[in-house]
Amino acid sequence: MNAGVIINCCLSCCQSLLKIPIQIMVWILEKVYWVLECIRYFKRQIVNKIRNKALGYQKVKVEEELHTVEVGNGTSNDRKLIEDKIRLQQQEHQLELAKDEILRLQECNREMGSLRNENNHNVKILEQKEHDLKVARDEVLRLQECNREIGSLRNENNNSVKMLQDYKEKVNELQREKSDALTRLSEVMGSKLRDNNPAITDLNDPNRPMKLGDQFSELYENEWTDAYSDLEDFKKFTEIEIIEVLIKILKEIYETCLADVSQQLSGHRSTVHGLSDDEIEGFIKAVKDSIKTNAPKYIPLLRKKIASDSSSCKTVVQYRDCCLAYIENCVNLCYYVAVQDPPMVIDFVPGQIFDKQSWKEYTRSGTEVEYVVWPALYLYKGGPIMSKGVVQPKETK
């Protein structure tokens, strides 16, 4: 319901409620005045009746006295005395009547004063009621005006809220567009920076070079140790023979992964044969990213290919039954090493002089290298070391 209608109804009710006491007060005053007039009227009637009876009684008494005087042959002096007495009594009676009239007038004056005071009080009450009614009417009018202003302000506020929501939606949309543009720009710039730049890596990539270096060390500490024990139990090999078998398995898998990735890139390069390197740069970068992205799906197929009977990895095929976990982890690690841009390098040739910067000693110390136990991993060819290799130095005499 409209607030203006409610306020008008309240005003009408207030006016009606304020009018009712005034009407009742006027009616009560009229009735009181009428009752007082009736009382005064009946009082005068009763007083007159009493006076008339008293006068009649006195008249009868005087007549009896006069009759007694006449009968008794009274003198004229006695008659005069009686008449004076009668006049005196009449004057006393008139004086009493005057006193009663004065008392009645005084009583009337008191009653009139009381009624006048009461009337003045009622007039003040009526004036106060009229003032209160006027104040209430002004207040209602002010409330109506405030209600109209509130309605106008509410409409303005609703329009402002709607405009603010529209602006917020536009701002959010622009922020989303900005975020998408920055994301795309970041991806493009990151892709350009990472393209053939191993110094910059994607920290969200679980198979980035730093992680691969850690996995390469863990492969030697865990699966290599287990495979060593399995080969030791499978055939009565010497320590050097077991190490050579495990090194050869890793080397065959590493070379196969490099060749496989190179073949994939060559296949895509052949599709854009005849174009310059600058023209196909973006395409080749996308192909490299695709090869790396699809690695989790391709590695299981590559494992089966390397361990199959038709594989060129003869050492892998020969010892696949007793070194399966080692072979699978080597395939996984070597493929991610090969798909890096540029590819990471596994170095199987340490050189004759022991280099503490890139290699660790196996079971003894020395300055010359006798054989390789585990290769070293580099970020790229000629780049920094990511995981040290292990060599067995020559025994010093």
Short mmCIF file of all heavy atoms in Angstrom, two decimals, residues 233-254:
data_model
loop_
_atom_site.label_atom_id
_atom_site.label_comp_id
_atom_site.label_asym_id
_atom_site.label_seq_id
_atom_site.Cartn_x
_atom_site.Cartn_y
_atom_site.Cartn_z
N ASP A 233 71.15 -61.61 -8.48
CA ASP A 233 70.49 -62.88 -8.19
C ASP A 233 70.19 -63.66 -9.47
O ASP A 233 70.14 -64.90 -9.45
CB ASP A 233 69.19 -62.63 -7.43
CG ASP A 233 69.43 -62.00 -6.07
OD1 ASP A 233 70.54 -62.18 -5.54
OD2 ASP A 233 68.52 -61.32 -5.54
N PHE A 234 69.93 -62.93 -10.59
CA PHE A 234 69.55 -63.59 -11.84
C PHE A 234 70.71 -64.37 -12.44
O PHE A 234 70.57 -65.51 -12.88
CB PHE A 234 69.05 -62.52 -12.83
CG PHE A 234 68.61 -63.09 -14.14
CD1 PHE A 234 67.47 -63.87 -14.24
CD2 PHE A 234 69.35 -62.85 -15.29
CE1 PHE A 234 67.07 -64.39 -15.46
CE2 PHE A 234 68.96 -63.37 -16.51
CZ PHE A 234 67.82 -64.13 -16.61
N LYS A 235 71.86 -63.76 -12.50
CA LYS A 235 73.07 -64.41 -13.01
C LYS A 235 74.25 -64.05 -12.13
O LYS A 235 74.25 -62.99 -11.51
CB LYS A 235 73.37 -63.98 -14.45
CG LYS A 235 72.42 -64.60 -15.47
CD LYS A 235 72.85 -64.26 -16.88
CE LYS A 235 71.93 -64.90 -17.92
NZ LYS A 235 72.35 -64.62 -19.30
N LYS A 236 75.20 -64.90 -12.12
CA LYS A 236 76.37 -64.66 -11.28
C LYS A 236 77.33 -63.72 -11.99
O LYS A 236 78.40 -64.08 -12.44
CB LYS A 236 77.05 -65.99 -10.95
CG LYS A 236 76.18 -66.96 -10.18
CD LYS A 236 75.74 -66.37 -8.83
CE LYS A 236 74.87 -67.34 -8.05
NZ LYS A 236 74.43 -66.77 -6.76
N PHE A 237 76.87 -62.41 -12.11
CA PHE A 237 77.69 -61.38 -12.72
C PHE A 237 78.64 -60.79 -11.69
O PHE A 237 78.36 -60.77 -10.48
CB PHE A 237 76.83 -60.27 -13.30
CG PHE A 237 76.11 -60.65 -14.57
CD1 PHE A 237 74.88 -60.10 -14.87
CD2 PHE A 237 76.67 -61.55 -15.47
CE1 PHE A 237 74.23 -60.44 -16.04
CE2 PHE A 237 76.02 -61.89 -16.64
CZ PHE A 237 74.79 -61.34 -16.94
N THR A 238 79.73 -60.26 -12.23
CA THR A 238 80.60 -59.47 -11.37
C THR A 238 80.01 -58.08 -11.20
O THR A 238 79.09 -57.68 -11.92
CB THR A 238 82.01 -59.37 -11.97
OG1 THR A 238 81.93 -58.68 -13.22
CG2 THR A 238 82.61 -60.75 -12.18
N GLU A 239 80.55 -57.34 -10.29
CA GLU A 239 80.05 -55.97 -10.03
C GLU A 239 80.18 -55.11 -11.26
O GLU A 239 79.24 -54.37 -11.62
CB GLU A 239 80.83 -55.37 -8.86
CG GLU A 239 80.40 -53.95 -8.50
CD GLU A 239 81.21 -53.37 -7.36
OE1 GLU A 239 82.26 -53.95 -7.01
OE2 GLU A 239 80.80 -52.31 -6.83
N ILE A 240 81.31 -55.17 -11.93
CA ILE A 240 81.53 -54.34 -13.12
C ILE A 240 80.58 -54.74 -14.23
O ILE A 240 80.02 -53.89 -14.94
CB ILE A 240 82.99 -54.46 -13.59
CG1 ILE A 240 83.93 -53.87 -12.51
CG2 ILE A 240 83.19 -53.72 -14.90
CD1 ILE A 240 85.40 -54.00 -12.85
N GLU A 241 80.29 -56.03 -14.40
CA GLU A 241 79.39 -56.50 -15.45
C GLU A 241 77.95 -56.01 -15.19
O GLU A 241 77.26 -55.58 -16.12
CB GLU A 241 79.41 -58.03 -15.50
CG GLU A 241 80.71 -58.59 -16.07
CD GLU A 241 80.78 -60.09 -15.98
OE1 GLU A 241 80.01 -60.68 -15.20
OE2 GLU A 241 81.60 -60.68 -16.71
N ILE A 242 77.51 -56.04 -13.93
CA ILE A 242 76.16 -55.54 -13.60
C ILE A 242 76.06 -54.04 -13.89
O ILE A 242 75.07 -53.56 -14.47
CB ILE A 242 75.84 -55.84 -12.13
CG1 ILE A 242 75.74 -57.34 -11.90
CG2 ILE A 242 74.53 -55.16 -11.73
CD1 ILE A 242 75.58 -57.73 -10.45
N ILE A 243 77.09 -53.31 -13.50
CA ILE A 243 77.08 -51.86 -13.75
C ILE A 243 77.06 -51.57 -15.24
O ILE A 243 76.32 -50.68 -15.71
CB ILE A 243 78.30 -51.21 -13.08
CG1 ILE A 243 78.16 -51.27 -11.55
CG2 ILE A 243 78.46 -49.76 -13.53
CD1 ILE A 243 79.38 -50.81 -10.81
N GLU A 244 77.81 -52.33 -16.02
CA GLU A 244 77.83 -52.14 -17.47
C GLU A 244 76.47 -52.43 -18.08
O GLU A 244 76.01 -51.71 -18.99
CB GLU A 244 78.90 -53.02 -18.09
CG GLU A 244 80.34 -52.55 -17.84
CD GLU A 244 81.37 -53.47 -18.46
OE1 GLU A 244 80.97 -54.54 -18.97
OE2 GLU A 244 82.56 -53.11 -18.43
N VAL A 245 75.78 -53.48 -17.60
CA VAL A 245 74.44 -53.81 -18.12
C VAL A 245 73.47 -52.66 -17.84
O VAL A 245 72.72 -52.22 -18.72
CB VAL A 245 73.93 -55.13 -17.50
CG1 VAL A 245 72.44 -55.32 -17.81
CG2 VAL A 245 74.73 -56.30 -18.03
N LEU A 246 73.47 -52.18 -16.61
CA LEU A 246 72.53 -51.09 -16.25
C LEU A 246 72.86 -49.80 -16.99
O LEU A 246 71.94 -49.07 -17.41
CB LEU A 246 72.60 -50.86 -14.73
CG LEU A 246 72.12 -52.05 -13.87
CD1 LEU A 246 72.30 -51.74 -12.39
CD2 LEU A 246 70.66 -52.37 -14.16
N ILE A 247 74.13 -49.49 -17.17
CA ILE A 247 74.51 -48.32 -17.95
C ILE A 247 74.06 -48.48 -19.40
O ILE A 247 73.55 -47.53 -20.03
CB ILE A 247 76.03 -48.10 -17.88
CG1 ILE A 247 76.42 -47.50 -16.51
CG2 ILE A 247 76.51 -47.17 -18.98
CD1 ILE A 247 76.03 -46.07 -16.32
N LYS A 248 74.24 -49.67 -19.94
CA LYS A 248 73.89 -49.91 -21.34
C LYS A 248 72.38 -49.80 -21.55
O LYS A 248 71.92 -49.27 -22.57
CB LYS A 248 74.39 -51.28 -21.76
CG LYS A 248 74.43 -51.47 -23.27
CD LYS A 248 75.18 -52.74 -23.63
CE LYS A 248 75.30 -52.86 -25.15
NZ LYS A 248 76.04 -54.09 -25.54
N ILE A 249 71.60 -50.31 -20.60
CA ILE A 249 70.12 -50.17 -20.70
C ILE A 249 69.74 -48.70 -20.74
O ILE A 249 68.94 -48.26 -21.59
CB ILE A 249 69.46 -50.88 -19.51
CG1 ILE A 249 69.60 -52.41 -19.65
CG2 ILE A 249 67.98 -50.49 -19.42
CD1 ILE A 249 69.11 -53.18 -18.45
N LEU A 250 70.29 -47.90 -19.84
CA LEU A 250 69.97 -46.47 -19.79
C LEU A 250 70.40 -45.78 -21.07
O LEU A 250 69.66 -44.94 -21.62
CB LEU A 250 70.66 -45.83 -18.58
CG LEU A 250 70.48 -44.31 -18.42
CD1 LEU A 250 69.01 -43.95 -18.26
CD2 LEU A 250 71.30 -43.80 -17.25
N LYS A 251 71.58 -46.14 -21.59
CA LYS A 251 72.09 -45.48 -22.79
C LYS A 251 71.23 -45.81 -24.01
O LYS A 251 70.92 -44.93 -24.82
CB LYS A 251 73.53 -45.90 -23.03
CG LYS A 251 74.22 -45.12 -24.15
CD LYS A 251 75.70 -45.49 -24.21
CE LYS A 251 76.42 -44.66 -25.27
NZ LYS A 251 77.87 -44.99 -25.34
N GLU A 252 70.81 -47.09 -24.16
CA GLU A 252 69.96 -47.47 -25.29
C GLU A 252 68.62 -46.73 -25.23
O GLU A 252 68.13 -46.24 -26.26
CB GLU A 252 69.73 -48.98 -25.27
CG GLU A 252 70.96 -49.80 -25.65
CD GLU A 252 70.70 -51.29 -25.59
OE1 GLU A 252 69.61 -51.68 -25.12
OE2 GLU A 252 71.60 -52.06 -26.00
N ILE A 253 68.03 -46.64 -24.05
CA ILE A 253 66.74 -45.95 -23.91
C ILE A 253 66.90 -44.46 -24.20
O ILE A 253 66.06 -43.85 -24.90
CB ILE A 253 66.18 -46.18 -22.48
CG1 ILE A 253 65.81 -47.65 -22.31
CG2 ILE A 253 64.96 -45.29 -22.23
CD1 ILE A 253 65.41 -48.02 -20.89
N TYR A 254 67.98 -43.87 -23.70
CA TYR A 254 68.22 -42.43 -23.91
C TYR A 254 68.38 -42.13 -25.39
O TYR A 254 67.76 -41.19 -25.92
CB TYR A 254 69.46 -42.01 -23.13
CG TYR A 254 69.93 -40.61 -23.43
CD1 TYR A 254 69.14 -39.49 -23.17
CD2 TYR A 254 71.21 -40.39 -23.98
CE1 TYR A 254 69.59 -38.21 -23.44
CE2 TYR A 254 71.67 -39.11 -24.25
CZ TYR A 254 70.85 -38.03 -23.98
OH TYR A 254 71.30 -36.76 -24.24
#
